[in-house]
Amino acid sequence: YPDFGPTFAAEKLEEEHRLTIHHETLRLLLIERGLWRPRHGTLTVHLWRERKASVGEMVQGDGSLHRWFENRAPACTLLAFIDDATSALLWLEFVPGESTDALMRATWQYLERAGRPLALYADRGGVFRVNIHNEEADKLTQYARALSELDIELIHARSPQAKGRVERVFGTLQDRLVKELRLRGISSITEANRFVRETYLPRHNAKFAVSPKNPTDLHRSLTGYALSRIFCVREERTVRNDFTIQYRRRLFQLDPRQPTMLRPGDVVTVSEGLDGTLAVGLRKITLQFHEIAE
Protein backbone atom coordinates (compact mmCIF):
# COMPACT_ATOMS: atom_id res chain seq x y z
CA TYR A 1 0.00 0.00 0.00
CA PRO A 2 2.73 2.51 -0.90
CA ASP A 3 0.41 5.45 -1.73
CA PHE A 4 -2.27 4.84 0.92
CA GLY A 5 -2.90 7.51 3.53
CA PRO A 6 -2.69 6.43 7.20
CA THR A 7 -6.47 6.27 7.72
CA PHE A 8 -7.20 4.21 4.62
CA ALA A 9 -4.13 2.02 5.21
CA ALA A 10 -5.27 1.27 8.78
CA GLU A 11 -8.67 0.21 7.45
CA LYS A 12 -7.10 -2.15 4.90
CA LEU A 13 -4.67 -3.65 7.39
CA GLU A 14 -7.64 -4.62 9.55
CA GLU A 15 -9.91 -5.75 6.67
CA GLU A 16 -7.34 -7.71 4.68
CA HIS A 17 -4.72 -8.79 7.26
CA ARG A 18 -6.49 -8.68 10.65
CA LEU A 19 -3.90 -6.21 11.95
CA THR A 20 -5.55 -3.62 14.18
CA ILE A 21 -3.72 -0.34 14.63
CA HIS A 22 -5.18 3.12 15.23
CA HIS A 23 -4.78 5.36 12.20
CA GLU A 24 -3.13 8.11 14.28
CA THR A 25 -0.57 5.65 15.65
CA LEU A 26 0.11 4.43 12.13
CA ARG A 27 0.46 8.02 10.92
CA LEU A 28 3.11 8.78 13.54
CA LEU A 29 5.01 5.58 12.73
CA LEU A 30 4.96 6.35 9.01
CA ILE A 31 6.23 9.88 9.65
CA GLU A 32 8.98 8.52 11.90
CA ARG A 33 10.10 6.06 9.16
CA GLY A 34 9.93 8.76 6.49
CA LEU A 35 7.07 7.01 4.66
CA TRP A 36 4.46 9.74 5.12
CA ARG A 37 4.81 13.50 4.95
CA PRO A 38 2.48 15.57 7.17
CA ARG A 39 0.23 17.87 5.22
CA HIS A 40 0.66 21.54 6.07
CA GLY A 41 -1.47 23.11 3.36
CA THR A 42 -2.49 26.74 3.27
CA LEU A 43 -5.90 27.66 4.64
CA THR A 44 -8.61 27.76 1.98
CA VAL A 45 -11.78 29.66 2.78
CA HIS A 46 -15.00 28.13 1.43
CA LEU A 47 -18.41 29.74 1.53
CA TRP A 48 -20.55 27.31 3.49
CA ARG A 49 -24.00 26.38 2.26
CA GLU A 50 -26.38 24.65 4.64
CA ARG A 51 -27.39 21.16 3.63
CA LYS A 52 -30.92 20.47 2.53
CA ALA A 53 -33.00 18.97 5.31
CA SER A 54 -34.37 15.82 3.66
CA VAL A 55 -33.15 13.02 1.44
CA GLY A 56 -34.32 13.62 -2.13
CA GLU A 57 -34.86 17.35 -1.63
CA MET A 58 -31.87 18.09 -3.86
CA VAL A 59 -29.47 15.65 -5.51
CA GLN A 60 -26.15 16.70 -7.02
CA GLY A 61 -25.26 15.08 -10.32
CA ASP A 62 -21.85 15.22 -11.98
CA GLY A 63 -19.23 13.27 -13.88
CA SER A 64 -15.48 12.93 -13.34
CA LEU A 65 -13.11 12.03 -16.17
CA HIS A 66 -10.15 10.28 -14.55
CA ARG A 67 -7.75 7.37 -14.90
CA TRP A 68 -9.89 5.24 -12.62
CA PHE A 69 -8.00 2.09 -13.65
CA GLU A 70 -4.63 3.88 -13.55
CA ASN A 71 -2.45 2.44 -16.35
CA ARG A 72 -4.43 -0.79 -16.69
CA ALA A 73 -7.06 0.76 -19.02
CA PRO A 74 -7.87 4.11 -20.68
CA ALA A 75 -9.40 6.98 -18.72
CA CYS A 76 -13.18 6.96 -18.40
CA THR A 77 -15.93 8.94 -16.65
CA LEU A 78 -17.61 8.14 -13.35
CA LEU A 79 -21.16 9.52 -13.08
CA ALA A 80 -22.38 10.17 -9.55
CA PHE A 81 -25.67 11.15 -7.94
CA ILE A 82 -25.12 12.44 -4.40
CA ASP A 83 -27.81 13.39 -1.92
CA ASP A 84 -27.25 16.91 -0.60
CA ALA A 85 -28.80 16.27 2.82
CA THR A 86 -26.67 13.24 3.69
CA SER A 87 -23.77 13.10 1.19
CA ALA A 88 -24.88 9.51 0.49
CA LEU A 89 -23.99 8.11 -2.91
CA LEU A 90 -27.35 7.29 -4.50
CA TRP A 91 -25.81 5.91 -7.69
CA LEU A 92 -22.39 5.51 -9.29
CA GLU A 93 -21.78 4.35 -12.84
CA PHE A 94 -18.64 4.16 -14.99
CA VAL A 95 -19.18 5.19 -18.64
CA PRO A 96 -16.83 5.89 -21.57
CA GLY A 97 -17.80 9.60 -21.59
CA GLU A 98 -20.36 12.07 -20.24
CA SER A 99 -22.78 11.94 -23.18
CA THR A 100 -26.54 12.51 -23.20
CA ASP A 101 -27.11 8.81 -23.79
CA ALA A 102 -24.87 7.74 -20.89
CA LEU A 103 -26.34 10.32 -18.50
CA MET A 104 -29.90 9.29 -19.36
CA ARG A 105 -29.09 5.61 -18.74
CA ALA A 106 -27.43 6.36 -15.39
CA THR A 107 -30.29 8.64 -14.30
CA TRP A 108 -32.78 5.91 -15.23
CA GLN A 109 -30.94 3.46 -12.96
CA TYR A 110 -30.84 5.97 -10.11
CA LEU A 111 -34.56 6.82 -10.42
CA GLU A 112 -35.59 3.16 -10.43
CA ARG A 113 -33.51 2.65 -7.30
CA ALA A 114 -34.60 5.73 -5.31
CA GLY A 115 -37.50 7.54 -7.05
CA ARG A 116 -37.79 11.10 -8.36
CA PRO A 117 -35.99 13.83 -6.36
CA LEU A 118 -37.43 17.33 -6.13
CA ALA A 119 -34.37 18.91 -7.76
CA LEU A 120 -31.11 18.00 -9.50
CA TYR A 121 -28.10 20.30 -9.04
CA ALA A 122 -25.68 20.16 -11.97
CA ASP A 123 -23.10 22.25 -13.79
CA ARG A 124 -23.67 24.31 -16.92
CA GLY A 125 -22.17 21.76 -19.31
CA GLY A 126 -23.64 21.15 -22.74
CA VAL A 127 -25.55 18.03 -21.69
CA PHE A 128 -27.43 19.99 -19.02
CA ARG A 129 -27.85 23.43 -20.61
CA VAL A 130 -27.99 25.05 -24.07
CA ASN A 131 -25.21 27.64 -23.74
CA ILE A 132 -25.21 29.17 -27.26
CA HIS A 133 -27.91 31.54 -28.58
CA ASN A 134 -30.08 30.89 -25.56
CA GLU A 135 -30.25 34.28 -23.83
CA GLU A 136 -33.84 33.70 -22.71
CA ALA A 137 -32.96 30.20 -21.39
CA ASP A 138 -36.04 28.85 -23.17
CA LYS A 139 -34.18 26.19 -25.15
CA LEU A 140 -33.73 22.85 -23.40
CA THR A 141 -31.25 20.06 -23.96
CA GLN A 142 -32.64 16.55 -24.41
CA TYR A 143 -31.65 15.76 -20.82
CA ALA A 144 -33.21 18.90 -19.36
CA ARG A 145 -36.41 18.21 -21.29
CA ALA A 146 -36.56 14.69 -19.82
CA LEU A 147 -36.16 16.03 -16.27
CA SER A 148 -38.89 18.59 -16.92
CA GLU A 149 -41.30 15.83 -17.96
CA LEU A 150 -40.44 13.99 -14.74
CA ASP A 151 -41.19 17.15 -12.71
CA ILE A 152 -37.59 17.36 -11.48
CA GLU A 153 -36.25 20.91 -11.19
CA LEU A 154 -32.83 21.33 -12.83
CA ILE A 155 -30.64 23.86 -10.98
CA HIS A 156 -27.43 25.03 -12.68
CA ALA A 157 -24.37 25.72 -10.53
CA ARG A 158 -22.53 28.91 -11.46
CA SER A 159 -19.07 27.72 -10.39
CA PRO A 160 -17.25 24.50 -9.43
CA GLN A 161 -17.11 25.82 -5.85
CA ALA A 162 -20.92 25.88 -5.74
CA LYS A 163 -20.84 22.07 -6.07
CA GLY A 164 -18.47 21.68 -3.15
CA ARG A 165 -19.96 18.47 -1.76
CA VAL A 166 -19.89 16.56 -5.03
CA GLU A 167 -16.36 17.82 -5.76
CA ARG A 168 -15.17 16.63 -2.34
CA VAL A 169 -16.82 13.25 -2.88
CA PHE A 170 -14.98 12.87 -6.18
CA GLY A 171 -11.74 13.71 -4.37
CA THR A 172 -12.44 10.86 -1.95
CA LEU A 173 -13.37 8.51 -4.80
CA GLN A 174 -10.24 9.34 -6.79
CA ASP A 175 -8.24 8.31 -3.74
CA ARG A 176 -10.12 5.36 -2.24
CA LEU A 177 -12.06 3.87 -5.16
CA VAL A 178 -9.00 3.89 -7.45
CA LYS A 179 -7.08 1.88 -4.85
CA GLU A 180 -9.99 -0.51 -4.23
CA LEU A 181 -10.12 -1.26 -7.97
CA ARG A 182 -6.35 -1.80 -8.02
CA LEU A 183 -6.41 -4.22 -5.08
CA ARG A 184 -9.04 -6.33 -6.85
CA GLY A 185 -7.38 -6.17 -10.26
CA ILE A 186 -10.47 -4.57 -11.83
CA SER A 187 -9.66 -3.02 -15.20
CA SER A 188 -12.95 -2.76 -17.11
CA ILE A 189 -16.08 -0.64 -16.89
CA THR A 190 -18.32 -3.71 -16.62
CA GLU A 191 -16.36 -5.20 -13.71
CA ALA A 192 -16.08 -1.83 -11.98
CA ASN A 193 -19.82 -1.17 -12.17
CA ARG A 194 -20.55 -4.59 -10.67
CA PHE A 195 -18.10 -3.96 -7.80
CA VAL A 196 -19.50 -0.48 -7.15
CA ARG A 197 -23.10 -1.71 -6.98
CA GLU A 198 -22.49 -4.83 -4.92
CA THR A 199 -19.67 -3.77 -2.61
CA TYR A 200 -18.45 -0.19 -2.70
CA LEU A 201 -21.67 1.86 -2.46
CA PRO A 202 -22.91 0.40 0.84
CA ARG A 203 -19.41 0.55 2.39
CA HIS A 204 -18.86 4.17 1.34
CA ASN A 205 -22.24 5.32 2.65
CA ALA A 206 -21.80 3.50 5.94
CA LYS A 207 -18.55 5.41 6.49
CA PHE A 208 -19.23 8.86 5.06
CA ALA A 209 -23.00 9.52 4.91
CA VAL A 210 -24.56 11.64 7.66
CA SER A 211 -28.10 11.62 9.07
CA PRO A 212 -30.54 14.15 7.59
CA LYS A 213 -32.22 16.78 9.75
CA ASN A 214 -35.61 15.54 8.58
CA PRO A 215 -36.05 11.75 8.32
CA THR A 216 -38.71 12.06 5.59
CA ASP A 217 -37.50 10.85 2.19
CA LEU A 218 -38.82 13.28 -0.46
CA HIS A 219 -38.16 11.01 -3.42
CA ARG A 220 -41.44 10.50 -5.31
CA SER A 221 -42.92 7.49 -7.05
CA LEU A 222 -42.37 6.71 -10.74
CA THR A 223 -45.97 5.52 -11.13
CA GLY A 224 -47.45 6.96 -14.30
CA TYR A 225 -44.09 7.82 -15.85
CA ALA A 226 -42.88 5.70 -18.78
CA LEU A 227 -39.10 6.17 -18.57
CA SER A 228 -38.57 4.49 -21.95
CA ARG A 229 -40.62 7.27 -23.58
CA ILE A 230 -39.08 10.08 -21.56
CA PHE A 231 -35.39 9.18 -21.78
CA CYS A 232 -35.08 9.50 -25.53
CA VAL A 233 -33.94 11.96 -28.19
CA ARG A 234 -36.73 13.96 -29.80
CA GLU A 235 -36.46 15.98 -32.98
CA GLU A 236 -39.03 17.64 -35.23
CA ARG A 237 -39.39 16.88 -38.92
CA THR A 238 -41.62 18.33 -41.65
CA VAL A 239 -43.81 15.98 -43.68
CA ARG A 240 -42.93 16.12 -47.39
CA ASN A 241 -45.45 16.16 -50.25
CA ASP A 242 -45.02 12.39 -50.71
CA PHE A 243 -45.71 11.86 -46.97
CA THR A 244 -42.12 10.96 -46.14
CA ILE A 245 -39.79 12.29 -43.50
CA GLN A 246 -36.02 12.08 -43.22
CA TYR A 247 -34.23 11.33 -39.96
CA ARG A 248 -30.48 10.85 -39.62
CA ARG A 249 -29.97 9.98 -43.29
CA ARG A 250 -32.82 7.47 -43.21
CA LEU A 251 -36.11 7.84 -45.10
CA PHE A 252 -39.48 6.88 -43.61
CA GLN A 253 -42.86 6.59 -45.32
CA LEU A 254 -45.90 7.60 -43.28
CA ASP A 255 -48.71 5.12 -43.91
CA PRO A 256 -51.85 6.28 -45.81
CA ARG A 257 -54.18 5.31 -42.96
CA GLN A 258 -53.46 7.20 -39.71
CA PRO A 259 -55.38 7.72 -36.45
CA THR A 260 -55.39 11.50 -37.07
CA MET A 261 -55.53 13.91 -40.01
CA LEU A 262 -52.11 14.27 -41.62
CA ARG A 263 -51.10 16.78 -44.31
CA PRO A 264 -47.89 17.69 -46.12
CA GLY A 265 -46.16 20.45 -44.21
CA ASP A 266 -47.21 19.13 -40.80
CA VAL A 267 -44.42 19.07 -38.23
CA VAL A 268 -44.10 15.68 -36.55
CA THR A 269 -41.91 14.58 -33.63
CA VAL A 270 -39.45 11.72 -34.07
CA SER A 271 -38.44 10.01 -30.81
CA GLU A 272 -35.43 7.70 -30.65
CA GLY A 273 -35.22 5.57 -27.51
CA LEU A 274 -32.00 4.54 -25.80
CA ASP A 275 -32.39 1.12 -27.41
CA GLY A 276 -32.60 2.68 -30.89
CA THR A 277 -36.35 2.18 -31.41
CA LEU A 278 -38.15 4.98 -33.27
CA ALA A 279 -41.60 6.50 -32.86
CA VAL A 280 -43.29 9.29 -34.83
CA GLY A 281 -46.02 11.42 -33.29
CA LEU A 282 -48.34 14.31 -34.13
CA ARG A 283 -50.39 16.14 -31.51
CA LYS A 284 -49.47 13.40 -28.98
CA ILE A 285 -50.87 10.72 -31.32
CA THR A 286 -48.56 7.95 -32.51
CA LEU A 287 -48.33 7.63 -36.30
CA GLN A 288 -47.76 4.52 -38.41
CA PHE A 289 -44.66 4.45 -40.61
CA HIS A 290 -42.06 2.19 -42.20
CA GLU A 291 -38.53 2.70 -43.48
CA ILE A 292 -37.96 2.78 -47.26
CA ALA A 293 -34.99 3.02 -49.60
CA GLU A 294 -34.74 6.46 -51.19
Side-chain angles (χ1 to χ4, degrees), residues 11-292:
E11 290 177 22
K12 287 299 160 189
L13 288 174
E14 185 168 9
E15 287 178 13
E16 306 293 336
H17 308 285
R18 298 182 181 179
L19 296 175
T20 302
I21 180 171
H22 192 275
H23 62 84
E24 185 62 20
T25 302
L26 180 60
R27 187 180 77 88
L28 294 175
L29 287 171
L30 290 172
I31 292 173
E32 181 183 314
R33 305 287 201 285
L35 299 173
W36 179 255
R37 183 175 298 177
R39 296 174 182 173
H40 301 294
T42 57
L43 178 64
T44 302
V45 178
H46 296 284
L47 294 177
W48 183 78
R49 176 180 61 78
E50 186 176 5
R51 293 177 180 273
K52 297 298 183 183
S54 301
V55 173
E57 187 173 352
M58 186 173 78
V59 172
Q60 298 194 34
D62 203 2
S64 174
L65 176 63
H66 187 66
R67 295 202 72 93
W68 294 101
F69 308 119
E70 298 171 299
N71 294 324
R72 303 187 305 279
C76 64
T77 297
L78 178 62
L79 299 176
F81 294 90
I82 303 160
D83 181 64
D84 188 78
T86 63
S87 289
L89 294 174
L90 301 174
W91 188 252
L92 287 178
E93 186 166 336
F94 289 96
V95 296
E98 192 174 351
S99 64
T100 297
D101 181 88
L103 191 57
M104 283 186 173
R105 291 178 188 275
T107 306
W108 189 333
Q109 294 290 327
Y110 152 55
L111 295 180
E112 287 196 328
R113 177 187 178 102
R116 294 177 296 128
L118 297 184
L120 181 74
Y121 197 65
D123 60 29
R124 302 167 78 85
V127 175
F128 299 103
R129 188 176 187 274
V130 178
N131 295 304
I132 301 176
H133 305 306
N134 192 23
E135 291 75 13
E136 302 298 324
D138 55 347
K139 299 176 183 176
L140 298 178
T141 65
Q142 297 287 345
Y143 185 75
R145 184 266 311 155
L147 291 191
S148 176
E149 292 181 13
L150 288 163
D151 192 26
I152 299 172
E153 181 185 4
L154 180 58
I155 303 172
H156 298 287
R158 295 190 174 275
S159 68
Q161 291 76 17
K163 301 185 303 167
R165 290 194 180 94
V166 70
E167 296 296 336
R168 286 191 290 276
V169 170
F170 274 127
T172 300
L173 293 171
Q174 289 175 7
D175 177 32
R176 286 177 168 252
L177 183 52
V178 165
K179 295 179 175 68
E180 293 279 16
L181 296 173
R182 180 205 305 164
L183 291 176
R184 289 162 175 78
I186 295 174
S187 305
S188 72
I189 287 177
T190 301
E191 289 180 288
N193 282 332
R194 185 182 303 114
F195 167 70
V196 161
R197 286 193 301 269
E198 297 175 358
T199 304
Y200 187 80
L201 270 176
R203 284 187 180 180
H204 180 100
N205 289 338
K207 183 172 182 63
F208 294 107
V210 301
S211 299
K213 289 183 178 180
N214 188 332
T216 303
D217 189 339
L218 297 183
H219 280 100
R220 298 158 294 166
S221 170
L222 289 172
T223 302
Y225 291 90
L227 296 185
S228 60
R229 297 183 180 180
I230 294 174
F231 286 124
C232 64
V233 173
R234 291 184 190 159
E235 296 182 10
E236 293 184 339
R237 292 292 185 271
T238 300
V239 178
R240 298 173 173 179
N241 290 334
D242 56 358
F243 289 91
T244 60
I245 57 172
Q246 191 171 23
Y247 176 75
R248 303 200 178 192
R249 299 183 179 180
R250 298 166 66 186
L251 195 66
F252 299 93
Q253 179 73 63
L254 298 171
D255 296 350
R257 302 174 72 91
Q258 297 287 355
T260 186
M261 182 67 70
L262 181 65
R263 298 184 179 89
D266 282 343
V267 177
V268 298
T269 301
V270 181
S271 302
E272 182 175 0
L274 298 181
D275 60 356
T277 57
L278 296 178
V280 180
L282 176 65
R283 296 184 290 271
K284 297 185 178 180
I285 298 176
T286 301
L287 303 179
Q288 304 299 318
F289 67 96
H290 60 275
E291 187 170 2
I292 60 174

